[in-house]
Amino acid sequence: MAAPCGEIVTVQLGPFSNCLGAHWWNLQDAEISRQSHKRQQESEICSDVTYRQGVTLRGRQTYTPRLIAVDLKGGLSSLREEGFLYEDRDTTCATPAWTGNLSTHREEPQETSPLQAELRREKGEEPTAGDVLGADGTGPVGGGPVLGAPGKRFLSERSVSVWSDFLQTNLHPKSLCVVSRYSHGGSGTEGLEAYGQGEALLQEAAYGEELEDRLHFFTEECDYLQGFHLVCDLHNGFSGGGAKMAELLHDEYPGRGIFSFGTYPVPPTDRDLHRDMYQLLNCIMGIVHLSNHSSLFCPLTLSSCLGRRPGPPVALPHLLYDAESQYHSSAVLALTLDTLSAPYRTAPSRLPMVQLADALSFSGRKVMMAASSLPFPLGSSSLADAFQPYMGVPPWTCLSGCGGPHRGGESGSFSQSVVLRGASQALQISLASTLPAPCTLPPTFPQFFSPYVTRSGFTAETPLSEPSAVDSIPALAALQTGRALGPTLQALHKEVRGVDVRRWPSFLTAGVEEGQLEETLEELQRLAHCYTPEGDSD
């Protein structure tokens, strides 16, 4: 059935963006499962917006994300680039027609992640040679916190090394694209470290044309394509790749919404001067060029700022997360994105992407900031009572590197879209978007909630004596053109102006000329001006 509010194609570029994407798609699967067990309501998320129906060569019906995910060599772990869903075992194991002498060279199978092995067992499939089992032959190896609801035998957090280790969604063979020239976790010539490298990568025929072909595959089957989600790493060379992809989408699909999200992990404690400077330059180049070719651009990070000297990471009242764990931080950001994107993914659509972008980005303010409250402290009283403690401060925390827990709202916003999930009809008041169903958490979602959070995601006044796994949570999220973006962008501009970029010649030789960097800094200053009182007057 055609999506009533138009289809969206998602493009993910980079390891951290794919971490966020893995959580995002697991959240979508959990929502689909929840809806399959009850009658769908009008105001619920429509999965046809982001998923597609298909058929394998053997006639099996499939339902897979409309997704293109790009990563580096070594970033997929045991997940094959072509996936497993469309594998034809008869073809794979067929006897060759050649009747002469044969020489067989067999590569040792890579160890399957404990989660993937467990998911196969739940589907009744036999363990494969690469599956990693526990001592009893059934559970996953490793100790530490176990993910999922009680009774589930899912992986230990310590067994997560890359995003594919906790992805539970089947993907189409055209979804995964591996850049074999650069290595996951590599540095120097092996790592995709600079903006210019990523920009040049998508200009090459080998990768650029391949990605265009995959885009056409997913878009040409859409009845009404409303737009694209572009999620890319902002701190490494995928910043440049994302900018080129945004430019391609802008030129090839005029009139469609392009919502770009730049992901930025919390920097590690063992800082490196060379890496810090590269990340700063990648960040400002990405902000300017992604916003130029997108309908909206929003940074997503749990870091307190996007500069080289961030303070403590964002504190979230009811989440006991590990800031340096990309598995943890990407889960928070995925849940935020899942909530704030609800207005153009509901059935029927309340506000299509293009209309939402027009409503938010007037006067050149195309850079947004995200804010959320996870879980939103909702009790049995009315929403008016739930919001009563926030009369003087915003009810959410900024997750776009604007500094401080409430910086995103203390200076006000020019425009915003607010979404609340998990408020029953009896509790609802007039908000921009209110969905009665809470966010359903998949078994792969980290259980990093405080002991005050109940299984249904509500917050108790006292710690629970026997905390259980949290299955769902109420969530509040906002997409804003906040005034705090002015000083944030200005601080980035000032930080780069305060150093001699020629001390990092390898960044410039990677493809960015001094003149291009100078133009980017001027454009960054103009963007910052849009969020000042003077810019408001203009």
Side-chain angles (χ1 to χ4, degrees), residues 332-374:
V332 178
L333 299 177
L335 193 52
T336 300
L337 179 57
D338 182 44
T339 301
L340 63 83
S341 62
Y344 50 88
R345 294 191 297 121
T346 51
S349 175
R350 297 181 178 182
L351 197 61
M353 294 178 75
V354 172
Q355 292 184 23
L356 179 60
D358 290 343
L360 293 177
S361 63
F362 57 88
S363 300
R365 302 184 186 101
K366 294 170 68 174
V367 179
M368 304 282 134
M369 60 191 205
S372 66
S373 175
L374 307 171

Side-chain angles (χ1 to χ4, degrees), residues 55-399:
V55 182
T56 68
L57 294 175
R58 301 181 67 121
R60 179 184 174 188
Q61 297 288 330
T62 63
Y63 197 54
T64 54
R66 201 174 288 108
L67 165 71
I68 300 172
V70 183
D71 211 326
L72 306 178
K73 182 174 62 177
L76 300 186
S77 186
S78 61
L79 181 63
R80 295 207 307 259
E81 186 172 351
E82 66 274 16
F84 296 100
L85 186 60
Y86 282 70
E87 180 182 32
D88 189 333
R89 294 185 183 274
D90 292 343
T91 302
T92 304
C93 304
T95 303
W98 171 255
T99 58
N101 294 329
L102 293 175
S103 176
T104 303
H105 301 270
R106 190 179 301 276
E107 183 180 355
E108 286 296 321
Q110 191 165 2
E111 288 185 349
T112 305
S113 76
L115 170 63
Q116 300 301 331
E118 178 66 19
L119 290 174
R120 287 202 191 117
R121 282 192 294 277
E122 287 213 335
K123 295 176 183 177
E125 300 177 6
E126 293 295 324
T128 64
D131 288 355
V132 182
L133 305 179
D136 61 353
T138 57
V141 298
V146 177
L147 313 180
K152 296 288 185 181
R153 300 187 311 275
F154 284 113
L155 76 168
S156 156
E157 289 190 20
R158 286 200 289 268
S159 63
V160 174
S161 58
V162 293
W163 59 273
S164 58
D165 288 340
F166 59 90
L167 175 71
Q168 68 182 61
T169 308
N170 285 317
L171 302 180
H172 190 275
K174 288 189 177 292
S175 284
L176 295 176
C177 181
V178 176
V179 179
S180 57
R181 181 186 310 171
Y182 301 106
S183 299
H184 180 78
S187 59
T189 57
E190 295 185 356
L192 190 65
E193 295 184 320
Y195 177 93
Q197 291 175 301
E199 190 178 43
L201 189 68
L202 263 69
Q203 290 175 321
E204 294 181 14
Y207 292 106
E209 293 179 3
E210 175 65 23
L211 290 177
E212 281 194 58
D213 289 342
R214 297 183 186 218
L215 275 173
H216 290 156
F217 172 81
F218 287 112
T219 57
E220 288 174 2
E221 64 182 10
C222 296
D223 292 321
Y224 174 68
L225 175 68
Q226 68 163 317
F228 300 87
H229 272 173
L230 175 57
V231 188
C232 70
D233 289 1
L234 199 59
H235 60 294
N236 55 33
F238 278 109
S239 174
K244 292 305 293 183
M245 176 59 70
E247 183 179 351
L248 170 65
L249 297 176
H250 180 269
D251 294 341
E252 291 285 325
Y253 302 93
R256 309 300 184 187
I258 304 171
F259 284 16
S260 296
F261 301 91
T263 63
Y264 193 96
V266 175
T269 52
D270 53 334
R271 311 295 298 279
D272 176 81
L273 180 62
H274 171 83
R275 180 182 299 172
D276 285 354
M277 192 62 197
Y278 265 51
Q279 291 186 354
L280 174 63
L281 294 172
N282 291 331
C283 181
I284 64 152
M285 295 288 294
I287 289 174
V288 169
H289 295 285
L290 279 162
S291 61
N292 277 346
H293 296 104
S294 302
S295 309
L296 298 176
F297 169 73
C298 179
L300 291 174
T301 183
L302 295 184
S303 182
S304 56
C305 79
L306 300 175
R308 291 180 297 166
R309 298 176 180 84
V314 169
L316 302 168
H318 298 292
L319 299 185
L320 307 177
Y321 74 97
D322 179 357
E324 292 192 21
S325 166
Q326 294 193 4
Y327 168 71
H328 276 199
S329 58
S330 61
V332 178
L333 299 177
L335 193 52
T336 300
L337 179 57
D338 182 44
T339 301
L340 63 83
S341 62
Y344 50 88
R345 294 191 297 121
T346 51
S349 175
R350 297 181 178 182
L351 197 61
M353 294 178 75
V354 172
Q355 292 184 23
L356 179 60
D358 290 343
L360 293 177
S361 63
F362 57 88
S363 300
R365 302 184 186 101
K366 294 170 68 174
V367 179
M368 304 282 134
M369 60 191 205
S372 66
S373 175
L374 307 171
F376 180 67
L378 193 63
S380 58
S381 57
S382 68
L383 277 185
D385 292 335
F387 280 103
Q388 183 66 33
Y390 304 102
M391 298 301 292
V393 295
W396 44 59
T397 301
C398 177
L399 302 183

Side-chain angles (χ1 to χ4, degrees), residues 383-508:
L383 277 185
D385 292 335
F387 280 103
Q388 183 66 33
Y390 304 102
M391 298 301 292
V393 295
W396 44 59
T397 301
C398 177
L399 302 183
S400 292
C402 292
H406 302 296
R407 181 73 177 272
E410 65 182 9
S411 300
S413 300
F414 296 98
S415 57
Q416 64 182 3
S417 168
V418 180
V419 180
L420 175 63
R421 300 174 70 174
S424 64
Q425 296 289 342
L427 296 179
Q428 289 182 18
I429 58 175
S430 178
L431 282 174
S433 297
T434 307
L435 280 71
C439 295
T440 304
L441 304 182
T444 53
F445 200 84
Q447 291 292 322
F448 47 23
F449 299 93
S450 79
Y452 291 86
V453 181
T454 68
R455 184 169 184 170
S456 299
F458 295 106
T459 51
E461 294 183 358
T462 59
L464 304 179
S465 57
E466 296 182 3
S468 60
V470 179
D471 295 334
S472 61
I473 63 169
L476 179 70
L479 189 64
Q480 307 170 309
T481 51
R483 296 181 186 274
L485 283 164
T488 297
L489 298 176
Q490 190 62 45
L492 292 174
H493 176 272
K494 182 179 180 181
E495 190 168 356
V496 177
R497 284 294 190 198
V499 298
D500 185 357
V501 181
R502 290 173 296 182
R503 292 173 55 192
W504 289 269
S506 55
F507 183 87
L508 300 175

